[in-house]
Amino acid sequence: MAGKKPQKAGWTRRDFFNWMLNVVMGVIAILVAIPSVGAAITPAFHNAAPVWVNLGAQTGLQQSSVQAGTGGVGTVVKAPYSYVEVDHWAKLPAADYAYLRYIGGSCAFYILSPICTHLGCHVNWIQADNQFHCPCHGSVYTVDGLNVSGPAPLPLGVFRWKMVGNDVWVARESTFTHAHQRTTESPTEPCLKEA
Amino acid sequence: MYTRIVRWIDDRLMVSPLWRDMADHPVPAHVNPSEKVSAFVYCFGGVTFLLIIAQFVTGMFLAMYYVPDIINSYNSTKYIMHHVLFGLQLLSMHNWGSSLIIIMVTLHMLRIYWMGVYKKPRELNWIVGVTLLLLILGFGFTGYLLPWDEKAYFATQVGVSFTKYVPFVGPALLKILSGGSKIGAATLTRFFAIHVLFLPAMLIAFLGLHFLMIRRQGITGPY
Ligand code: HEM
Ligand code: FES
């Protein structure tokens, strides 16, 4: 005890350094976590702009829809398209298709996404039933893309489209269905033609 | 020679006792299939572990050729299958092994469940076990995408879509899991990183916990 003060029970030198060590380690952990978590969750904050893709000449599309239908009324036809897909750092030639129907009037075309709103398979157009059938879990959609049976929770997406010269272009969006997603089962066909 | 090497190491590090502790640990009769054939159910966990070691080995060698990139991954997988000596066998072992592990881990879990040994004091080991199960399924899910063929692509598309249904954060989760707004270049690199770096690290940590707890508490029974 000579000349030495008894150790205080409360806040000792050892406690202080222990505390400092914890603070420093905590700060290091936070500094490591910020960029790590940031890198992992980046995609959540990133919204890709729509990519306009060319379906081809309006007259050809109109003709094939009318020819596939009966009595001059157009029905659903596959409208394939190809484009250059910019996927992060990769640029790749890509191809997909839309389901196009000539409906006449001022709207002219009604263009549906083939992506099933259940889990994303491509649906098949079944002309005999006038319906879309999903091969994955059996969802059924009407000719207008309204979900009428199976697990699909929403109608098929509808493409926004516009004329560029004589060609029909659709907006491939970054949503799940690549197209405008209807959230209600409105029986009216939305006209998504843009000037 | 062998004894001299062991003695040389033990002089410095004294590792023999650690090894003896594991190697001399008696296997109780009721857990030993050579004493009682029906005890084979106690082997399911160990078999799972052996299969995991095999996956680690075959996976490391596959990574010598595999390229996690949307342009090359399919071709590098094909290259392994057709041009690497025993490459097809290597890939097949990894492929079949993944299914076998899921079967064995399920059987192991069923033994735990049927014998009721998840009860006190082994609740924590049950929780660690469920984590191991999820990690194993995570390996299967992320590994399935890596060949980047059509089956892989669309199976993953369906798989990640489940996250859409999570309340509130579903859409954000979907994007985080797929690395973007669709299954693409960033999904593949992300899944590859998870498959070969994140999950193995976590698996090793949780296997360590699992085995420590088993040693600490001893095996259950006989009844
Ligand atoms: C990566 C997968 C796993 C491995 C490698 C593994 C390995 C093992 C091993 C070697 C044992 C010794 C006894 C035996 O083999 O039956 C064991 C025991 C045990 N495991 Fe697992 N296990 C795994 C997953 C699981 C899962 C999914 C559960 C349950 C959810 C679980 C729960 C337990 C429990 C509670 C014990 C103690 C059993 C007793 O004392 O009788 N394990 N594990
Ligand atoms: S993806 Fe179409 S029904 Fe499931």
Side-chain angles (χ1 to χ4, degrees), chain B residues 84-116:
Chain B
V84 175
L85 185 65
F86 294 123
L88 181 61
Q89 284 71 20
L90 188 69
L91 189 66
S92 301
M93 283 166 74
H94 201 71
N95 187 320
W96 284 91
S98 68
S99 297
L100 283 178
I101 286 181
I102 290 170
I103 292 169
M104 291 316 298
V105 80
T106 308
L107 291 176
H108 173 57
M109 191 170 161
L110 286 177
R111 171 184 86 82
I112 305 304
Y113 182 72
W114 270 322
M115 293 189 167

Side-chain angles (χ1 to χ4, degrees), chain A residues 40 43 46-47 85 87-88 118, chain B residues 70 164 175 179 182 184-185 190:
Chain A
H46 189 80
N47 284 313
E85 182 174 315
D87 184 353
H88 296 84
H118 177 222
Chain B
I70 50 174
K164 239 183 11 181
K175 279 178 156 186
K182 64 184 282 289
R190 196 162 273 248

Side-chain angles (χ1 to χ4, degrees), chain B:
Chain B
M1 183 64 188
Y2 172 73
T3 5
R4 278 183 52 209
I5 294 175
V6 172
R7 197 172 309 131
W8 190 89
I9 296 174
D10 271 350
D11 274 349
R12 288 154 183 83
L13 296 167
M14 266 323 257
V15 285
S16 273
L18 292 173
W19 164 248
R20 292 260 63 90
D21 179 58
M22 280 191 279
D24 293 345
H25 190 71
V27 177
H30 72 286
V31 177
N32 188 345
S34 65
E35 306 254 358
K36 192 167 122 219
V37 177
S38 65
F40 72 87
V41 291
Y42 286 94
C43 295
F44 294 156
V47 171
T48 313
F49 182 63
L50 277 181
L51 287 168
I52 287 171
I53 301 293
Q55 290 303 90
F56 269 105
V57 174
T58 49
M60 285 190 282
F61 283 93
L62 285 172
M64 286 182 169
Y65 292 93
Y66 175 79
V67 183
D69 162 86
I70 50 174
I71 294 167
N72 294 308
S73 57
Y74 179 75
N75 290 327
S76 62
T77 307
K78 231 163 69 174
Y79 187 89
I80 291 171
M81 292 167 66
H82 299 306
H83 299 290
V84 175
L85 185 65
F86 294 123
L88 181 61
Q89 284 71 20
L90 188 69
L91 189 66
S92 301
M93 283 166 74
H94 201 71
N95 187 320
W96 284 91
S98 68
S99 297
L100 283 178
I101 286 181
I102 290 170
I103 292 169
M104 291 316 298
V105 80
T106 308
L107 291 176
H108 173 57
M109 191 170 161
L110 286 177
R111 171 184 86 82
I112 305 304
Y113 182 72
W114 270 322
M115 293 189 167
V117 294
Y118 50 82
K119 291 173 198 164
K120 189 182 175 190
R122 295 188 174 75
E123 307 96 317
L124 285 177
N125 216 7
W126 172 265
I127 292 169
V128 168
V130 171
T131 312
L132 285 170
L133 179 71
L134 295 177
L135 290 174
I136 291 294
L137 295 178
F139 270 105
F141 182 56
T142 51
Y144 204 76
L145 179 68
L146 301 184
W148 201 247
D149 53 6
E150 242 180 74
K151 195 172 64 161
Y153 185 95
F154 287 104
T156 303
Q157 165 127 59
V158 171
V160 297
S161 296
F162 288 122
T163 53
K164 239 183 11 181
Y165 296 103
V166 177
F168 309 115
V169 294
L173 260 183
L174 175 62
K175 279 178 156 186
I176 291 172
L177 190 59
S178 37
S181 36
K182 64 184 282 289
I183 309 294
T187 321
L188 185 56
T189 48
R190 196 162 273 248
F191 274 37
F192 180 73
I194 293 173
H195 190 79
V196 306
L197 298 167
F198 288 70
L199 289 177
M202 288 170 69
L203 187 69
I204 289 170
F206 277 90
L207 281 178
L209 281 177
H210 201 56
F211 296 152
L212 277 177
M213 288 189 199
I214 295 166
R215 272 308 299 273
R216 184 80 184 199
Q217 302 179 320
I219 196 85
T220 48
Y223 302 102

Side-chain angles (χ1 to χ4, degrees), chain A residues 108-181:
Chain A
F109 289 116
Y110 185 59
I111 310 172
L112 286 172
S113 160
I115 305 297
C116 181
T117 56
H118 177 222
L119 293 174
C121 294
H122 280 63
V123 299
N124 295 317
W125 167 245
I126 310 293
Q127 176 97 29
D129 297 341
N130 208 35
Q131 282 173 333
F132 295 98
H133 290 184
C134 182
C136 289
H137 318 95
S139 284
V140 175
Y141 303 85
T142 66
V143 64
D144 296 326
L146 300 181
N147 48 317
V148 286
S149 171
L154 293 169
L156 292 175
V158 188
F159 278 113
R160 290 191 286 133
W161 68 281
K162 66 182 178 190
M163 296 295 299
V164 179
N166 292 322
D167 290 345
V168 173
W169 289 64
V170 295
R172 225 189 110 93
E173 291 171 32
S174 63
T175 59
F176 180 64
T177 58
H178 310 159
H180 169 75
Q181 184 57 65

